[in-house]
Amino acid sequence: MRVDRTRAGAVVLVNPNTSTATTAMMTALARRALGPARPVRGVTVARGPEMLTDPEVLRAAAPEVLAAGLRATAEGDCAALLVAAFGDPGLARLREAAAPAGIPVVGLGEAALLEAAAEGTPFGIATTTPLLADAIHARVTALGLADRYTGLRLTAGAPERLSADPVLLLDRLERAVRACAERDGARAVVIGGGPLGEAAEELRVRCAVRVVAPVPAACRAITRLLTE
């Protein structure tokens, strides 16, 4: 049976790090992607670091995401949930918990990777977090996309320093995107990080290769699920 939820409820964007500025930025991107007909409400997890830069903090974010998502669904007026970190912490548990209520849950990383790899497209990933490289490779494999994956390109410099300098961040990410395309043969490049959302939008204009910005990709996935 076709379930149409397009006229009721908000998309709740759950930021798995504790930066309220990042929550506001990603919420604004989601509102732009979804348009005025679909409200978006951003929420920030209660505990944790301001950036998720290593496997330990990524794992620690999962229960916080679950708690924030459950609070959002309990408050009502929730049409869908978006886990807004590239590592998708807590996605599986939140998806299972929200299923009885018929609330779809989309992970930012999962959505971006699946979109990039659609129709067998060779894709790469450009990001700023070297300590998460193994987790990213594992995620690609778990999604069944390894045969299309051309590899990961990392920016030079500490993620914290880059996040504090938007001009430098954009320059370093652009170099990584170009390396994915020119050296690795990628025909689509995923920008690996929710906090990199604004840079991803700019890179879509600056780069000849198709750049998959993660927040809009997740919003497109949500739109499809809400109109199945």
Side-chain angles (χ1 to χ4, degrees):
M1 182 176 68
R2 184 176 185 272
V3 179
D4 189 349
R5 303 185 187 89
T6 57
R7 296 187 180 180
V11 171
V12 177
L13 181 151
V14 180
N15 178 12
N17 70 51
T18 55
S19 169
T20 55
T22 298
T23 303
M25 178 270 290
M26 293 191 294
T27 301
L29 291 175
R31 286 174 178 151
R32 190 185 313 161
L34 290 166
R38 173 63 59 189
V40 181
R41 186 166 73 251
V43 300
T44 308
V45 296
R47 289 177 295 275
E50 291 195 351
M51 291 185 69
L52 305 182
T53 59
D54 64 63
E56 183 178 346
V57 297
L58 188 64
R59 287 190 293 270
E64 298 298 328
V65 168
L66 178 62
L70 292 177
R71 283 194 299 271
T73 57
E75 291 170 1
D77 192 35
C78 175
L81 289 157
L82 196 170
V83 178
F86 193 64
D88 295 334
L91 175 63
R93 292 178 63 192
L94 184 55
R95 187 173 275 163
E96 181 180 2
I103 297 172
V105 183
V106 168
L108 185 150
E110 179 183 84
L113 292 171
L114 290 174
E115 181 174 293
E119 299 181 357
T121 302
F123 73 96
I125 301 169
T127 191
T128 63
T129 50
L131 296 179
L132 290 175
D134 288 345
I136 291 170
H137 293 316
R139 188 73 172 131
V140 169
T141 300
L143 290 170
L145 305 177
D147 61 327
R148 284 157 271 182
Y149 182 44
T150 63
L152 177 70
R153 288 285 175 171
L154 294 160
T155 52
E160 295 82 1
R161 180 186 171 218
L162 294 176
S163 69
D165 188 338
V167 174
L168 181 62
L169 172 64
L170 188 60
D171 174 73
R172 297 288 170 83
L173 270 176
E174 183 174 1
R175 294 184 189 195
V177 168
R178 293 186 185 281
C180 283
E182 296 167 8
R183 300 181 189 178
D184 304 333
R187 290 182 13 224
V189 181
V190 177
I191 303 302
L196 307 179
E198 287 183 333
E201 291 298 302
E202 179 66 22
L203 290 167
R204 291 177 63 213
V205 177
R206 293 172 63 147
C207 298
V209 69
R210 180 165 67 95
V211 172
V212 178
V215 174
C219 290
R220 287 187 284 273
I222 285 172
T223 298
R224 290 191 294 271
L225 288 170
L226 289 177
T227 54
E228 284 180 346

